Amino acid sequence: MATLTVTVKEDVLINGVHRGSENVTDITGITETYSRVLDVLNSADTDVLKFGSADGAGTISRSKLKYMRFTNLSTTAANTITLSIEDTDSEQYIIKLAAGQSYVLYNTDFDANDASTSVAIGGSYSFGGSIDLIMARAAAGTPQLEVFAAMS
């Protein structure tokens, strides 16, 4: 088994003073990885990752996932990528990745509610679902999306 080290660092110089921080997280027990760079079309949704109760052809087991990252590799501002994160209960949330931006998740737990039905959050919050599918579509051009996932 391996340890995945994830480093998040911000560094900005304002008036001669460095601001920002660095956070390092070690994720132990990694036995599998998934890594891919794919072209994202602007004419159709592209399935990126599927999740299920067990590993299968094109499917990652939800219980084994420990980390996933999506990065828009484009350097062209117009080539944004929209990620649709969905579950089978018809819940969905949307993330927009501009050129060079990344989005990171550490599990497949999620819930999406209309703000008018807001609920209290906290340590006892019960998530309504798990991610079943992540799809992508480009706003323009055919940018590349880098996908990396680590599982136990």
Side-chain angles (χ1 to χ4, degrees):
M1 287 191 267
T3 298
L4 171 67
T5 300
V6 178
T7 303
V8 177
K9 180 179 179 180
E10 300 87 18
D11 186 21
V12 62
L13 183 65
I14 299 176
N15 297 326
V17 178
H18 281 277
R19 309 281 178 178
S21 65
E22 180 175 326
N23 293 285
V24 178
T25 302
D26 287 330
I27 304 170
T28 59
I30 300 301
T31 59
E32 301 175 38
T33 61
Y34 174 88
S35 181
R36 182 175 180 200
V37 174
L38 65 141
D39 292 339
V40 179
L41 304 175
N42 62 38
S43 58
D45 294 343
T46 301
D47 288 356
V48 176
L49 284 178
K50 293 181 181 180
F51 299 92
S53 59
D55 286 333
T59 302
I60 295 173
S61 169
R62 279 184 208 89
S63 64
K64 293 172 71 175
L65 182 78
K66 302 299 179 195
Y67 173 86
M68 62 182 155
R69 175 186 50 80
F70 305 90
T71 300
N72 180 346
L73 297 178
S74 180
T75 57
T76 304
N79 291 355
T80 62
I81 296 174
T82 300
L83 294 179
S84 175
I85 292 101
E86 304 177 6
D87 76 0
T88 55
D89 295 328
S90 299
E91 293 181 318
Q92 172 189 47
Y93 72 96
I94 306 293
I95 301 298
K96 182 178 180 181
L97 292 178
Q101 290 184 341
S102 294
Y103 185 69
V104 174
L105 291 167
Y106 290 86
N107 58 60
T108 62
D109 295 337
F110 95 104
D111 209 347
N113 296 307
D114 184 298
S116 66
T117 61
S118 65
V119 296
I121 58 173
S124 63
Y125 181 77
S126 177
F127 287 91
S130 294
I131 299 171
D132 293 314
L133 174 65
I134 297 176
M135 295 189 306
R137 183 181 279 209
T142 307
Q144 291 189 315
L145 179 68
E146 181 178 46
V147 180
F148 179 82
M151 293 75 69
S152 61

